[in-house]
Amino acid sequence: MSRITERELTIPTGVEVVVSADLIRVKGKHGELSVPRADGVSTKKQKDTLYIKTSGTSRHARAMTGTVNALVRNMIKGVSERWEKRLQIEGVGYRAQLQNNVLVMQLGYSHPIEFVPPEGIELTLPTPTEVVVTGVDRQLVGQVAADIRSKRPPEPYKGKGIRYLGEYIKRKEVKK
């Protein structure tokens, strides 16, 4: 069995962790997140360290220990530093712009595609072909980035579309 889940989590300065009977709440300078406590997982806070241990013997309890540990670690990083995903728009005439916190994209369709970000997500455009998604919740940032990418996924022949920054698209050869 892996002992990685039994590692202690150090709480950085400026982050407050509150462990109650049913919730683990993390509060920092960028926001506040909470996760429900799982059965078979014990949580103990001492000064600037959080200990998450398996209190049950079941397989589910051991699995949930790792899950809760990862969720709390991601919440601590999110409220102190924020999560970020970068998307790149590639193609002739493909571009994006922000209008009243609504992302408007020209992606080769006959009409512009509008995307309204959910609460807690901030979109920025360093260039018209780059979109930066930032937020406190790692799952929500990844989901919003995937939703934007799904508006025009990269195609394998010319590579046009929306991709994650640094994503490799395997190219196909054209039929001869």
Side-chain angles (χ1 to χ4, degrees):
M1 183 176 109
S2 173
R3 301 286 188 256
I4 292 175
T5 60
E6 301 285 327
R7 283 190 302 193
E8 59 211 30
L9 296 171
T10 56
I11 302 168
T13 56
V15 176
E16 178 186 338
V17 177
V18 177
V19 179
S20 65
D22 57 342
L23 279 178
I24 300 171
R25 187 173 316 232
V26 179
K27 187 175 183 181
K29 63 181 177 182
H30 292 294
E32 181 177 341
L33 294 171
S34 63
V35 66
R37 290 192 43 192
D39 295 333
V41 178
S42 67
T43 309
K44 184 171 68 170
K45 182 185 171 203
Q46 291 180 344
K47 295 186 181 180
D48 289 341
T49 308
L50 185 67
Y51 298 95
I52 299 173
K53 304 265 185 201
T54 305
S55 62
T57 57
S58 70
R59 185 178 187 151
H60 179 70
R62 289 194 313 265
M64 288 309 295
T65 303
T67 302
V68 170
N69 192 323
L71 290 173
V72 172
R73 188 178 322 118
N74 290 339
M75 289 190 317
I76 289 172
K77 183 179 177 198
V79 298
S80 61
E81 301 172 22
R82 299 184 90 188
W83 290 99
E84 175 182 283
K85 284 273 190 185
R86 292 180 170 268
L87 298 166
Q88 182 179 7
I89 302 173
E90 197 167 306
V92 177
Y94 289 16
R95 62 188 177 280
Q97 57 185 350
L98 277 174
Q99 295 176 351
N100 298 331
N101 203 23
V102 174
L103 182 67
V104 180
M105 299 175 282
Q106 301 289 333
L107 299 174
Y109 297 117
S110 62
H111 59 286
I113 306 293
E114 294 185 355
F115 182 82
V116 180
E119 184 102 10
I121 294 295
E122 182 182 325
L123 299 176
T124 55
L125 297 165
T127 64
T129 59
E130 190 176 350
V131 180
V132 180
V133 182
T134 55
V136 177
D137 188 2
R138 183 178 189 179
Q139 189 273 332
L140 187 60
V141 168
Q143 185 62 52
V144 168
D147 290 344
I148 292 172
R149 183 183 183 271
S150 71
K151 302 300 180 192
R152 179 68 114 179
E155 53 98 12
Y157 295 102
K158 291 184 178 180
K160 299 189 314 184
I162 303 174
R163 68 177 75 185
Y164 297 112
L165 192 66
E167 179 183 7
Y168 175 74
I169 305 299
K170 187 173 181 182
R171 295 286 181 87
K172 291 183 177 179
E173 197 173 323
V174 204
K175 186 176 178 183
K176 296 183 178 180

